[in-house]
Amino acid sequence: NYVLSRGGTRLIRKILIANNGLGAVKAIRSLRLWEYETFRTHDILHIVCMATEDDLKANAEYIRLADEFVTVESGSNRNNYANVDLIVKVARRCEADAVWPGWGHASEKPELPTALSETPSGIRFLGPPAAPMAALGDKIGSTIIAQAAGVPTIPWSGTGVAVDFASCNGIIPPDVYDSACLHSVDQAVEACNRIGYPVMLKASWGGGGKGIRKAASDEEVRAVFGAVKGEVPGSPIFAMKLAPPSRHLEVQLLADAHGN
């Protein structure tokens, strides 16, 4: 009745937390608080978490807060919290209704919501759908889409690259995307001269300071191009004019699948 009264279509009782550390702790505490304030009980939700041997040895708080845990492989997050196949496998095994990915790890991998939606029970992904995640999570793709929508952009290696905003539905043709990328040092130097120094060389899939370097001359571009490429292997690379006096302004939007 609660779900239907709010325009929902599905009851979510069991949630898999596909994350660890502070992110998982905050999620579980928030879920417990909402559960108690709404229903005056802690028996509505069943929370399952993934735990590596390292997390278990550390007696991690998020494991203690969960109702149940599933042991997963230790090591790099590619083996556990960023492993899409593993998360889907664990979610199916524990019969989760939904998966909360947290931040970092697999939270920005479009493959995760897609894979969950294709499971026999149609496990829900507590986050955005794959299409907008893919479009906005990629710096080159999101800038091309911004240009197509008429949003002013700083001069960059993809300046002038055009795509039909109305018909692309967030999916950029590979040849259009490729035309904004830098594939070699010489191409990077040529693009930077066209943009005008100083510039930032960036790996599109980078983040947290990885895959980004400032360059103020052709020599510096040649010196840092390899570093940008090496820090985020396989990522497309682009160049953008540096804006020294800029400030970071971000707008957060929260919506659900029912148009709210």
Side-chain angles (χ1 to χ4, degrees), residues 14-51:
K14 185 178 279 191
I15 299 173
L16 173 66
I17 305 292
N19 209 295
N20 65 343
L22 182 61
V25 169
K26 285 190 170 186
I28 296 171
R29 284 180 175 170
S30 294
L31 288 167
R32 296 288 191 220
L33 180 62
W34 170 84
E35 179 184 40
Y36 189 77
E37 288 182 342
T38 306
F39 301 106
R40 287 293 181 264
T41 178
H42 288 309
D43 297 328
I44 300 295
L45 298 176
H46 185 88
I47 297 173
V48 185
C49 68
M50 294 166 55

Side-chain angles (χ1 to χ4, degrees), residues 44-232:
I44 300 295
L45 298 176
H46 185 88
I47 297 173
V48 185
C49 68
M50 294 166 55
T52 66
E53 290 291 345
D54 297 329
D55 291 325
L56 288 167
K57 284 177 185 173
N59 194 25
E61 184 180 4
Y62 80 97
I63 300 174
R64 300 197 306 273
L65 292 173
D67 296 301
E68 179 186 346
F69 70 85
V70 177
T71 307
V72 295
E73 187 180 342
S74 295
S76 163
N77 72 356
R78 285 176 294 184
N79 298 331
N80 39 66
Y81 305 107
N83 187 326
V84 170
D85 291 338
L86 175 66
I87 293 169
V88 174
K89 210 174 286 181
V90 171
R92 290 188 63 180
R93 194 166 79 216
C94 71
E95 299 182 329
D97 300 307
V99 170
W100 184 81
W103 56 77
H105 300 311
S107 65
E108 293 182 24
K109 289 188 173 183
E111 298 84 3
L112 183 55
T114 299
L116 290 170
S117 68
E118 292 172 352
T119 57
S121 61
I123 299 169
R124 295 296 171 91
F125 177 77
L126 300 183
M133 189 189 293
L136 300 177
D138 178 281
K139 297 178 183 70
I140 292 173
S142 60
T143 310
I144 292 174
I145 290 173
Q147 270 179 186
V151 177
T153 59
I154 293 173
W156 69 300
S157 53
T159 295
V161 172
V163 67
D164 183 1
F165 181 74
S167 63
C168 77
N169 196 29
I171 300 170
I172 301 164
D175 58 324
V176 174
Y177 183 97
D178 199 55
S179 65
C181 302
L182 304 174
H183 304 283
S184 67
V185 176
D186 290 338
Q187 197 177 5
V189 169
E190 188 275 325
C192 291
N193 275 280
R194 189 172 69 248
I195 295 166
Y197 291 108
V199 300
M200 297 300 285
L201 285 179
K202 300 183 181 184
S204 189
W205 305 341
K210 284 188 177 180
I212 181 168
R213 291 289 190 283
K214 177 184 172 182
S217 66
D218 293 359
E219 292 71 27
E220 288 186 13
V221 171
R222 295 184 186 280
V224 303
F225 185 81
V228 172
K229 195 173 182 180
E231 286 180 5
V232 191

